[in-house]
Amino acid sequence: MTNDINEPTALDYAAGGGLLSRRMLLGTIAASGGAMAAGLAVPHRAGAQGVVPEWVTVAGHRARGYGMPAEAEAPVQRAIIEPWQDVAPEFSLSGTPLQRLRGTITPSGLHFEVHHGGRPDVDPDQHRLMIHGLVDRPLQFDLNSLERYPMVTATHFLECAGNSLVNAVMPEPLQAGCDVIHGLLSNSEWSGVPMSVLMDEAGVQPEGKWVVAVGSDGPSLARSIPIEKIMEDGILALYQNGERIRPEQGYPMRLLLPGFEGNMNVKWLTSLWVTDAPAHTKHESGEYTEILADGSSVKFTFAIGVKSLITHPSATMTMSGPGFYEISGLAWSGVGKVARVEVSADGGASWADAELVEPVLPRALTRFRMPWQWDGSPTILMSRAHDDTGALQPARPDWKARYHPSNFLHYNAIQPWNVTAEGEVQNVYL
Amino acid sequence: MYTSKALSIILIAAGSQVALAEGPDLGQPLTSDEIPFYATYVMPDGRGLPEGSGTPAEGAEIFAAQCTECHGITGTEGPVMPPVGPNEIWAKPAGSYWPYATTLFDYIRRAMPLDHPKSLSNDQAYALAAFILERNGVIDADTAMTAETLPMVEMPNRDNFVDVWATQGAKPW
């Protein structure tokens, strides 16, 4: 690919398709003489000089007790999918609009939801958490007493095992935004009581190897969880991004199992039943198992594999002409930290390392960014992540080859975005 | 390190007292009559199954009245995850794919019908499990499901699963 015509002399390329050296990231550029000197696009100055906007001529609004997003931001919503519509509206998926967000923390009101029986109205005064089964002291806790326990705070992503399912199973790529394709992914700062403190208070007996966690929703969603995970880093989360957990996320309390598939992070948690074996609950018997290419299945596939995604630009967006862009995206792994993200702007012919925005936390979303000079010709953008266990995100054909064609779970393949000459960004398979 | 080793020995020796000191110890005793049935789960070996019984024929009647709007007249049409297979919608139909029949009883009793969960009696849940198993060809039409017979059902797909946690722990498959 040649881009001689538009190529400003000061640009320093890292790979094909216009990927720039990270030295060209904003900040560095400003220090070295500004965007103009580097020949990068500069926004037009908007509006006429000297106009006095109306809002500087009137007194502002009175204070309000709970702030809301600006009215103009009202279109920033979760994408709601009810697969069976009015037949079973209680079963729904709501995808986070990742393409409208920056940074790594998902606003609580935009955190994705997957409901198997709708969002219950839980009365926090009546709600209790029971710990029973193979314990020395069966116990129950109310919310007030849990408030007095020592609390930890940790930032972790949650991803539904079925995230990106359209790319996993649809023969032709769906033209939809990241909210629909990849939105069952969010990241929050969670605060709550370490599970080990509560389990130790109840006294888990030596035969206690699994814990069946049950939610206080209509279907009483239940999952079997290895005791090792509960004790290692399980959190009884009471707070999400500093405030009490939202009803959609399990108010007044949910189980948080960092890095494990979303379904196991039981919302509206009411019971932890310690057992000697997994119960083979409904979800771990069918819905959250995967059929492999040879017809056999895998069960108890808990951790989320390494994955990444370019959010800016991404499908349904339109580029505003050739010039400088910052490619930005998210990377994560359910077993550790993101070690490295590579970006390609020429359909995978060449790759360059993106900058990982600090802090890079284990089992949390990591933002990556990469400067890019788009010369206006059609191209394909992709990212691929490595985690600190050495795992690398697979290409779609490699992922598909392992599973039965019907499998839509634990899809973590590379997402290519096709950029047309007109600047349209489209979902494609490679 | 000698000192930290010594410390951990002291901690182990102190046992549960150390554990209790981690928090304010505010858990209240929980007695077994305070635990609702859905806070436990019927185990694959049948532990936790209540008294009761139901036949496929009894289940067929309840299914026709309460389940077909979502799962289809014969349990294969859907639109929602048809529990009877093979069908064209759902590759993992409960009545043939799930490894243990006990899960059918427990799940139906706690979660179905979706719009009236926990409205079914134990007998009805046994009957519906029997109906779904019979439709999948797993049991014959004369077999009633009870606390004794349900755990004995040999699910056809049981030995077709690899337990990933047991074989490789948290490492993603």
Side-chain angles (χ1 to χ4, degrees):
Chain A
M1 184 179 300
T2 164
N3 39 23
D4 283 343
I5 305 156
N6 313 8
E7 190 173 309
T9 46
L11 294 187
D12 177 2
Y13 290 97
L19 289 184
L20 298 174
S21 153
R22 280 144 65 200
R23 286 193 298 277
M24 302 302 294
L25 277 171
L26 212 69
T28 323
I29 290 168
S32 69
M36 289 287 269
L40 304 178
V42 177
H44 296 285
R45 197 167 287 181
Q49 299 277 317
V51 172
V52 177
E54 197 215 313
W55 57 87
V56 305
T57 67
V58 292
H61 297 287
R62 297 178 74 164
R64 53 185 172 183
Y66 198 100
M68 298 295 288
E71 269 170 43
E73 298 299 312
V76 182
Q77 299 274 328
R78 290 182 279 227
I80 299 172
I81 299 172
E82 293 175 345
W84 301 295
Q85 284 125 24
D86 290 345
V87 174
E90 301 87 348
F91 188 107
S92 67
L93 322 164
S94 323
T96 297
L98 300 168
Q99 75 275 28
R100 321 274 317 239
L101 305 177
R102 295 284 190 162
T104 55
I105 296 292
T106 310
S108 300
L110 295 174
H111 193 290
F112 85 86
E113 308 163 76
V114 174
H115 294 309
H116 292 265
R119 182 185 72 242
D121 287 323
V122 178
D123 177 350
D125 297 330
Q126 286 181 52
H127 184 80
R128 65 204 168 120
L129 174 66
M130 298 172 269
I131 302 181
H132 55 117
L134 297 172
V135 295
D136 293 335
R137 293 168 292 276
L139 294 175
Q140 52 187 323
F141 301 85
D142 62 19
L143 188 56
N144 283 339
S145 54
L146 289 166
E147 271 292 326
R148 275 190 48 197
Y149 278 71
M151 290 198 202
V152 291
T153 292
T155 299
H156 291 296
F157 76 83
L158 286 176
E159 185 182 20
C160 176
N163 193 27
S164 318
L165 68 92
V166 295
N167 277 2
V169 291
M170 284 185 68
E172 295 300 324
L174 181 76
Q175 295 311 324
C178 286
D179 48 354
V180 171
I181 304 177
H182 301 293
L184 305 181
L185 167 76
S186 300
N187 195 55
S188 297
E189 185 201 78
W190 306 95
S191 301
V193 185
M195 275 309 321
S196 59
V197 173
L198 300 172
M199 299 309 286
D200 283 347
E201 187 174 328
V204 177
Q205 295 170 356
E207 319 82 73
K209 299 290 182 219
W210 290 75
V211 178
V212 178
V214 180
S216 196
D217 51 341
S220 305
L221 190 144
R223 284 297 301 257
S224 306
I225 295 147
I227 189 80
E228 294 94 321
K229 179 64 178 177
I230 295 270
M231 299 303 279
E232 187 189 320
D233 58 0
I235 299 173
L236 177 70
L238 304 172
Y239 291 83
Q240 174 186 7
N241 299 329
E243 64 181 354
R244 277 272 169 80
I245 286 188
R246 294 287 174 99
E248 294 96 316
Q249 298 314 317
Y251 182 82
M253 58 192 73
R254 85 173 306 161
L255 184 59
L256 199 84
L257 301 173
F260 277 23
E261 61 185 16
N263 185 255
M264 301 178 75
N265 296 256
V266 177
K267 294 176 283 192
W268 316 289
L269 184 71
T270 187
S271 171
L272 294 163
W273 181 50
V274 182
T275 62
D276 54 357
H280 285 84
T281 71
K282 183 262 187 197
H283 288 301
E284 64 218 27
S285 293
E287 197 164 341
Y288 293 94
T289 65
E290 293 85 59
I291 308 182
L292 303 178
D294 68 0
S296 67
S297 287
V298 284
K299 63 180 179 179
F300 306 133
T301 48
F302 298 146
I304 296 284
V306 64
K307 188 166 173 181
S308 71
L309 167 73
I310 294 173
T311 56
H312 299 75
S314 59
T316 69
M317 291 182 179
T318 307
M319 313 285 292
S320 50
F324 176 85
Y325 290 86
E326 183 172 275
I327 295 171
S328 170
L330 296 167
W332 63 100
S333 164
V335 286
K337 287 185 186 180
V338 171
R340 183 178 173 206
V341 177
E342 296 168 278
V343 172
S344 172
D346 54 13
S350 63
W351 298 83
D353 279 25
E355 185 195 79
L356 304 183
V357 178
E358 295 290 337
V360 178
L361 301 169
R363 303 177 176 89
L365 294 190
T366 297
R367 176 69 61 182
F368 65 85
R369 59 192 200 125
M370 179 88 213
W372 179 41
Q373 178 75 16
W374 184 46
D375 66 2
S377 53
T379 189
I380 292 179
L381 300 176
M382 314 197 272
S383 65
R384 65 180 183 203
H386 307 245
D387 69 20
D388 63 2
T389 71
L392 166 67
Q393 191 179 0
R396 186 172 186 275
D398 298 332
W399 186 91
K400 286 293 283 181
R402 306 180 66 197
Y403 292 104
H404 186 264
S406 68
N407 179 47
F408 57 84
L409 298 171
H410 287 275
Y411 182 83
N412 67 333
I414 293 170
Q415 169 67 69
W417 300 125
N418 183 45
V419 182
T420 69
E422 294 72 40
E424 272 177 51
V425 187
Q426 303 166 334
N427 182 19
V428 288
Y429 296 158
L430 270 188
Chain B
M1 234 69 58
Y2 178 73
T3 40
S4 76
K5 204 171 185 179
L7 185 66
S8 61
I9 288 167
I10 294 166
L11 288 174
I12 290 164
S16 61
Q17 258 176 339
V18 170
L20 292 178
E22 290 176 74
D25 193 15
L26 296 174
Q28 296 298 306
L30 176 72
T31 58
S32 52
D33 59 343
E34 292 174 295
I35 302 172
F37 76 87
Y38 60 81
T40 63
Y41 217 96
V42 173
M43 296 295 276
D45 60 9
R47 276 179 289 165
L49 280 171
E51 295 278 290
S53 129
T55 63
E58 289 160 355
E61 274 183 41
I62 311 163
F63 196 86
Q66 297 197 44
C67 319
T68 52
E69 59 171 298
C70 291
H71 296 302
I73 299 284
T74 68
T76 58
E77 299 85 353
V80 181
M81 294 180 191
V84 179
N87 64 69
E88 279 160 24
I89 300 174
W90 181 225
K92 301 186 270 192
S96 57
Y97 179 85
W98 292 2
Y100 298 100
T102 47
T103 310
L104 272 174
F105 172 87
D106 189 303
Y107 178 66
I108 291 169
R109 186 174 58 152
R110 73 173 53 226
M112 288 294 133
L114 186 71
D115 38 4
H116 297 287
K118 303 177 185 66
S119 61
L120 298 168
S121 68
N122 291 338
D123 286 345
Q124 287 177 310
Y126 276 119
L128 286 161
F131 169 73
I132 291 170
L133 290 167
E134 191 268 330
R135 289 284 93 198
N136 280 279
V138 177
I139 63 170
D140 62 43
D142 311 322
T143 316
M145 287 295 110
T146 66
E148 286 70 44
T149 56
L150 188 64
M152 306 294 283
V153 172
E154 288 278 343
M155 294 298 279
N157 199 39
R158 179 175 304 168
D159 297 330
N160 210 12
F161 286 90
V162 174
D163 178 339
V164 171
W165 176 258
T167 51
Q168 62 183 57
K171 184 173 184 286
W173 174 251

